[in-house]
Amino acid sequence: DFTLLASELKSLQLLGFFLDHAVAEAVQSRVKAHVCEQCEQEFDSPLLEEVLLSTQEAVLGWLGCIYGDPEEVRLQWLPQLEYYSYKTFAELRITELFNILVEYPDSEPALHDLRACLSRVDCRAHLITSLRNTYQQRLLQPGANTADIITQYISSIKGLHLLDPSGVMLEQVCDPVRAYLRTREDTVRCIVASLTDDSSNELADELVTGEPVLVDLSEESEGEDQDFDAWLPDPVDADPSKTSKSRQTSDIISLLVNIYGSREMFVNEYRNLLADRLLLSADYDTAREVSVMGDLQVVSL
């Protein structure tokens, strides 16, 4: 049988020559099947550590039957097995990233797992290209509602910030989203309507609480207390024509308002909407409008 054949090849010191490549392919296939079975479409709990342990247990035991010495198997195959596991897990989550962002914040554990994988394997460029293509195919289409595109953009801001606090990934993935929103005639009105809506929604809640979600806390301030030991360079794929501060100093509301590169359009649209609301008010109660204007001033719009 196969075990006997492996034993004979090992005695002739030919085991690695004949089997290593085939075994490596079998290991990759086994890891992929295990990761997909355990993790596919499961976003609401951390799974990476559990999958790493269960994969090692299953695959190392199988390799032990082939190569014999468990300690030798662990020394030879554990680094490769860990790499296969991280890479397979990352590739799975990248294919699911659009849905993960749709379900944010419930899917936050999946984003933390993906970030851990990105620190071990080089899948960053693949992630950016894949997500941009997915947005182009599924989101940036004439049939998509502008409000839905804005909602997904907000989720992307928050989710991609978890993956890459530098803001570079967000910039590269969402530049096409911002460009597409600029072509929509109702983009500004949708943003203003969400901010001033009486019903509860994400943007209005952030505005009322006065605690906008930051894309990043700027670590490049000019203050005397700046910790230079904690400074990190931008990722290698960062746009050299833009500064780190330009990616890290705005909150979500400011990012939406500045889609057009200027606040003038937003201010004009808000003025028109405010005039309409006041004209339609039968009781001349302007408390809500005054409150929204005060909140907008707090976030420096």
Side-chain angles (χ1 to χ4, degrees):
D1 60 6
F2 181 79
T3 304
L4 179 60
L5 173 62
S7 177
E8 292 296 330
L9 289 173
K10 185 176 181 180
S11 66
L12 296 173
Q13 298 184 344
L14 294 174
L15 182 60
F17 179 80
F18 281 103
L19 290 185
D20 278 358
H21 180 71
V23 169
E25 290 186 346
V27 167
Q28 292 182 56
S29 177
R30 195 178 181 98
V31 168
K32 183 176 181 178
H34 182 76
V35 169
C36 290
E37 179 183 352
Q38 297 295 317
C39 306
E40 194 168 18
Q41 297 299 321
E42 297 289 338
F43 307 144
D44 58 355
S45 60
L47 297 173
L48 180 58
E49 291 300 325
E50 177 183 340
V51 166
L52 288 173
L53 291 175
S54 60
T55 302
Q56 290 177 18
E57 180 179 348
V59 176
L60 288 178
W62 176 70
L63 290 172
C65 296
I66 299 174
Y67 290 95
D69 186 351
E71 192 61 32
E72 181 181 336
V73 167
R74 176 172 289 272
L75 290 174
Q76 179 182 353
W77 286 97
L78 185 58
Q80 296 181 59
L81 182 56
E82 288 183 344
Y83 175 80
Y84 294 152
S85 299
Y86 278 113
K87 190 172 187 295
T88 303
F89 192 96
E91 289 175 345
L92 173 65
R93 286 294 183 245
I94 287 171
T95 63
E96 300 172 327
L97 189 51
F98 183 90
N99 293 332
I100 291 174
L101 294 174
V102 167
E103 296 185 19
Y104 186 89
D106 293 338
S107 60
E108 187 172 329
L111 290 171
H112 285 295
D113 282 346
L114 178 54
R115 180 176 178 176
C117 290
L118 293 177
S119 68
R120 301 293 295 267
V121 295
D122 185 16
C123 292
R124 183 186 179 93
H126 172 50
L127 184 153
I128 292 170
T129 301
S130 174
L131 190 55
R132 282 173 63 114
N133 291 339
T134 303
Y135 277 178
Q136 192 65 48
Q137 296 167 7
R138 299 181 58 180
L139 190 67
L140 309 184
Q141 299 292 332
N145 187 284
T146 301
D148 293 337
I149 297 175
I150 292 172
T151 298
Q152 181 67 10
Y153 178 47
I154 294 170
S155 296
S156 298
I157 292 172
K158 295 180 178 181
L160 294 177
H161 167 56
L162 283 180
L163 292 179
D164 176 28
S166 73
V168 174
M169 190 179 293
L170 172 65
E171 179 182 77
Q172 295 187 349
V173 169
C174 289
D175 269 355
V177 180
R178 287 189 287 268
Y180 185 77
L181 285 172
R182 285 195 290 270
T183 68
R184 290 278 182 121
E185 294 181 356
D186 59 341
T187 296
V188 177
R189 179 163 286 268
C190 283
I191 296 172
V192 173
S194 295
L195 287 171
T196 58
D197 194 355
D198 290 329
S199 62
S200 177
N201 66 72
E202 192 170 18
L203 283 181
D205 291 344
E206 287 183 16
L207 191 62
V208 170
T209 60
E211 298 176 354
V213 178
L214 296 179
V215 173
D216 200 4
L217 299 175
S218 177
E219 297 178 356
E220 298 186 5
S221 63
E222 301 297 330
E224 296 180 358
D225 296 332
Q226 183 177 358
D227 184 2
F228 291 100
D229 291 334
W231 176 84
L232 291 174
D234 284 338
V236 295
D237 54 348
D239 185 347
S241 66
K242 298 181 180 180
T243 65
S244 297
K245 274 190 176 182
S246 69
R247 306 182 187 98
Q248 300 175 350
T249 56
S250 295
D251 58 61
I252 289 175
I253 294 175
S254 295
L255 283 172
L256 288 171
V257 171
N258 288 319
I259 281 176
Y260 292 88
S262 168
R263 299 181 180 183
E264 183 177 353
M265 292 188 66
F266 174 84
V267 172
N268 290 337
E269 185 63 36
Y270 177 67
R271 182 166 53 235
N272 293 335
L273 184 63
L274 180 60
D276 291 342
R277 290 169 68 95
L278 291 175
L279 289 172
L280 293 173
S281 177
D283 55 4
Y284 301 101
D285 182 6
T286 61
R288 168 66 179 170
E289 285 69 27
V290 171
S291 175
V292 170
M293 289 182 66
D295 291 333
L296 289 172
Q297 290 176 344
V298 169
V299 295
S300 303
L301 296 181

